[in-house]
Amino acid sequence: MTSIAMIEAAAERLKGHARKTPLLSSPFLDDIAGRRILVKPECLQHTGSFKFRGAWSALSALDEAARKKGVIAYSSGNHAQGIAHAASLHGAPSVIVMPADAPKLKIDNTRALGAEVVLYDRASEDRDAIGQSLATERDLTLIKPFDEPLVIAGQGTVGLEIASQAAEQGVTEGEVLVNCGGGGLTSGIALALESRAPQMQVRPCEPHGFDDVTRSLASGQIERNTQTAGSICDAILTPEPGQITFPILKRLCGAGLVVSEDEALHATALAFSRLKIVLEPGGAVSLAAALFHGDKLNSETVVVVATGGNVDPAMFTEALQRFT
């Protein structure tokens, strides 16, 4: 299981390789939210999302023989790009299993970063089964997108940075809103904050119709989504929380927050106009929760993790045309 020691070790391996993203603020966003908002833009991370952290953490911990044989991952795009880039930097081959309905930008970028892309139908095929089969056939090391201790440790470095950066601004307590798919980033941040800033509580954020983590936290057991595709928030769509991540989420996180697609698009537009950053809808769900669901928040200061910026131009244009 992932521990604070593993997260600290991942932070050491990431030094000189991952970017330390800042904490941004805007009085305009504070006015909309009715509280202080600090935004950590992981869209500025290598490959456009936090996923590079977990990818580098896992790749850098492999022995040389395993790296030479290659790695395989499955992802809707951001984990794919993170693994492809980290593998390329390590001189390792990579195979990425991606849903055919993933944004074209993410598929193209993954190929451009040197990976072999295998497409599948998200609605009718099982990516886990495809990944496991290819891993066995080609003797590849499978690096799961969230239910993998080394990946969780890498994502947890976001929490280490939040704790130190928030403290520099006089913030030692509050809520940390995190876009949540399978829970790798959310659980990693929660573990880091448990050690470094125990008065800061993580709140998972999800889109309507894909709120498996929110429902699982409410019921106390893993709940599965009835559908696995069909949202513009593709970056954070998973069938259910992970077997490794859910116990961490259950122990450390507050109640989940759920937003609409329109709210995510609105947050995307506001992030651009007020913070000058580019977010994909799935990367803006946490900001939407902070801006439009303040009645469900309990603290005067909220930290928002803006997780990714790999948005198709058409989707980004729609957000700007509708909400600016």
Side-chain angles (χ1 to χ4, degrees):
M1 296 296 289
T2 306
S3 64
I4 186 61
M6 286 180 65
I7 296 172
E8 291 168 344
E12 285 298 314
R13 296 197 304 278
L14 280 161
K15 280 184 178 178
H17 301 287
R19 294 170 180 155
K20 183 177 181 179
T21 54
L23 280 186
L24 305 178
S25 62
S26 162
F28 299 102
L29 296 184
D30 290 352
D31 286 345
I32 295 171
R35 53 176 45 85
R36 186 182 184 189
I37 301 293
L38 299 173
V39 178
K40 188 162 180 62
E42 281 292 297
C43 52
L44 302 179
Q45 190 54 259
H46 297 301
T47 70
S49 89
F50 72 95
K51 290 287 192 176
F52 178 78
R53 296 175 185 262
W56 185 273
S57 172
L59 262 293
S60 62
L62 284 179
D63 63 68
E64 186 60 28
R67 273 202 299 267
K68 282 185 176 180
K69 290 179 181 178
V71 298
I72 185 170
Y74 39 84
S75 165
S76 63
N78 287 334
H79 180 60
Q81 292 171 83
I83 290 291
H85 189 41
S88 179
L89 291 173
H90 278 95
S94 61
V95 178
I96 311 295
V97 181
M98 300 184 70
D101 65 345
K104 184 175 183 296
L105 175 70
K106 294 181 179 180
I107 295 173
D108 291 345
N109 284 352
T110 303
R111 288 189 172 123
L113 288 166
E116 175 190 344
V117 174
V118 176
L119 299 177
Y120 75 100
D121 185 335
R122 196 198 305 248
S124 64
E125 295 181 287
D126 184 346
R127 71 177 186 181
D128 295 323
I130 294 170
Q132 290 285 2
S133 176
L134 286 170
T136 301
E137 289 173 11
R138 304 191 191 183
D139 198 17
L140 304 172
T141 298
L142 175 64
I143 301 178
K144 296 181 180 180
F146 53 84
D147 230 18
E148 160 54 55
L150 286 168
V151 169
I152 295 169
Q155 321 304 27
T157 62
V158 176
L160 298 182
E161 292 178 15
I162 289 172
S164 62
Q165 291 170 320
E168 289 171 0
Q169 299 194 36
V171 177
T172 57
E173 59 182 51
E175 291 159 289
V176 179
L177 276 53
V178 185
N179 302 312
C180 191
L185 175 66
T186 311
S187 60
I189 290 176
L191 286 169
L193 294 179
E194 178 187 33
S195 173
R196 298 291 184 86
Q199 298 306 307
M200 302 183 81
Q201 185 179 52
V202 170
R203 300 284 300 275
C205 302
E206 299 172 292
H208 279 305
F210 301 88
D211 57 348
D212 49 295
V213 170
T214 297
R215 290 183 288 108
S216 297
L217 290 174
S219 71
Q221 62 186 18
I222 290 179
E223 304 285 349
R224 188 176 177 86
N225 288 323
T226 56
Q227 61 188 91
T228 56
S231 172
I232 62 173
C233 302
D234 62 282
I236 54 173
L237 303 188
T238 55
E240 62 188 22
Q243 296 293 325
I244 295 174
T245 60
F246 181 62
I248 301 170
L249 303 177
K250 184 178 178 181
R251 182 170 68 85
L252 296 177
C253 291
L257 300 163
V258 183
V259 310
S260 69
E261 289 189 353
D262 276 358
E263 288 169 336
L265 275 181
H266 194 175
T268 295
L270 287 169
F272 180 71
S273 63
R274 299 307 184 185
L275 296 174
K276 309 308 175 189
I277 60 173
V278 175
L279 297 181
E280 59 195 289
V285 166
S286 53
L287 180 58
L291 295 176
F292 310 127
H293 293 269
D295 60 321
K296 298 181 179 68
L297 300 174
N298 307 308
S299 51
E300 295 181 0
T301 299
V302 170
V303 177
V304 169
V305 183
T307 48
N310 292 305
V311 59
D312 275 344
M315 183 66 68
F316 192 60
T317 299
E318 180 183 350
L320 298 184
Q321 289 178 338
R322 289 183 58 189
F323 296 106
T324 57

